[in-house]
Amino acid sequence: MSLLSRLRLVTVDVTGTLIAYRGQLGDYYCTAARSAGLPCPGYARMHQAFKAAYADMAAKHPCFGHASGMPDHRWWRTCVRDSFLRAGHEYDDATFERIFGQIYAAFGSPAPYSVFPDARPFLRWLRGEGIMAGVVTNADCRYRDVVLPALGLNQGSEWDFGVFSGVAGVEKPDRRIYEMALEAAGGVAPEEALHIGDSMSKDYAPARAVGMHALLLDRFGTADAERWRRSGAVVLPDLVSAREWLTRDPPAAHGGTNNAWAE
């Protein structure tokens, strides 16, 4: 019996699973600075500075400021300013506001993203099979309200519900975000649900801890994929392969794994 026949719910991560960035984050930051006629550090340096600033903000004010009552716009302003400071550039307030305004507007639009060609067909196929499709992502409300709809990933046609960390107040890898998804689906039992994502720590491990089935996508040939497989995780290249995997009869269970559909 295929795994699909046992499921009532499939939840999916967004970035890296359904959509991807066009270029690097640092590109957009540098472009915004240069459009204001100002210098910017190299793209790679800016990208690394952003990653450090983002991690610091996420630790101090989780869920894009939800827990501390900080508006997400202010959360992002602080993160962007710190990114430039870490990269060695400080701008006066008026200049920074122009730069930040361009960056914030860009990432609140579909411009920096592209949809993987298999994303929309996969989600519609699930719903056509009578399986609920849920979005579980660390993102603010702009993903829900603007970005996903503008990319043609709409609630009601591609997905049934979403759990967005900046709205829910819980973010991956906290297992509660998956429990929220099960509840949002009407109290689906964990063994009747599957989560698909691209991170072992944020997607696979916490979903399995809740009792859900899980698989990982390795769309970009990450060096970690082989280690994921050795740990017993199902790792597939895309959602076309995920559909095939879901509809076939399972192989015999391997010893030492907690996922009977592991490859």
Side-chain angles (χ1 to χ4, degrees):
M1 181 181 295
S2 70
L3 177 56
L4 184 71
S5 66
R6 301 185 179 208
L7 296 178
R8 295 175 56 202
L9 169 67
V10 173
T11 60
V12 290
D13 170 52
V14 175
T15 309
T17 301
L18 299 179
I19 68 176
Y21 289 115
R22 297 180 186 272
Q24 297 291 323
L25 286 169
D27 299 349
Y28 296 93
Y29 281 53
C30 286
T31 297
R34 286 172 176 158
S35 70
L38 296 166
C40 180
Y43 294 135
R45 183 178 177 186
M46 191 71 238
H47 184 68
Q48 291 304 314
F50 167 79
K51 288 173 64 177
Y54 181 94
D56 188 54
M57 282 296 292
K60 292 178 179 176
H61 305 284
C63 304
F64 305 97
H66 183 283
S68 54
M70 176 186 291
D72 66 270
H73 186 273
R74 182 152 61 92
W75 192 98
W76 279 112
R77 180 189 287 110
T78 304
C79 183
V80 170
R81 184 182 286 277
D82 188 37
S83 298
F84 280 110
L85 287 173
R86 289 171 184 263
H89 280 259
E90 183 173 5
Y91 307 109
D92 63 75
D93 289 346
T95 300
F96 174 74
E97 286 302 320
R98 292 202 306 273
I99 294 170
F100 170 70
Q102 182 172 330
I103 293 170
Y104 189 78
F107 285 98
S109 77
Y113 310 99
S114 62
V115 181
F116 290 111
D118 56 8
R120 192 177 296 108
F122 179 77
L123 294 171
R124 291 191 171 191
W125 168 72
L126 283 175
R127 299 182 78 244
E129 293 290 323
I131 308 295
M132 282 182 288
V135 170
V136 178
T137 180
N138 286 352
D140 61 38
C141 61
R142 294 179 298 165
Y143 257 36
R144 179 195 64 190
D145 299 339
V146 180
V147 174
L148 292 181
L151 291 171
L153 297 172
N154 295 289
Q155 186 172 9
S157 57
E158 280 72 39
W159 47 281
D160 295 287
F161 69 89
V163 184
F164 299 84
S165 64
V167 178
V170 178
E171 61 188 8
K172 298 186 287 186
D174 191 325
R175 58 180 284 169
R176 291 179 296 165
I177 199 168
Y178 295 98
E179 293 169 347
M180 286 180 174
L182 294 171
E183 185 62 29
V188 169
E191 61 270 20
E192 297 177 309
L194 165 74
H195 179 69
I196 302 173
D198 67 337
S199 169
M200 171 61 80
S201 62
K202 294 182 179 180
D203 292 303
Y204 188 91
R208 290 296 300 149
V210 170
M212 299 169 67
H213 302 280
L215 71 85
L216 289 167
L217 294 191
D218 177 30
R219 290 192 182 272
F220 303 108
T222 177
D224 292 328
E226 187 54 40
R227 176 172 55 82
W228 296 346
R229 291 187 179 94
R230 288 197 302 268
S231 74
V234 177
V235 183
L236 300 173
D238 50 42
L239 291 171
V240 174
S241 300
R243 177 173 173 171
E244 295 171 353
W245 176 77
L246 280 166
T247 54
R248 73 168 186 240
D249 290 336
H254 295 265
T257 181
N258 58 1
N259 189 344
W261 279 263
E263 295 186 325

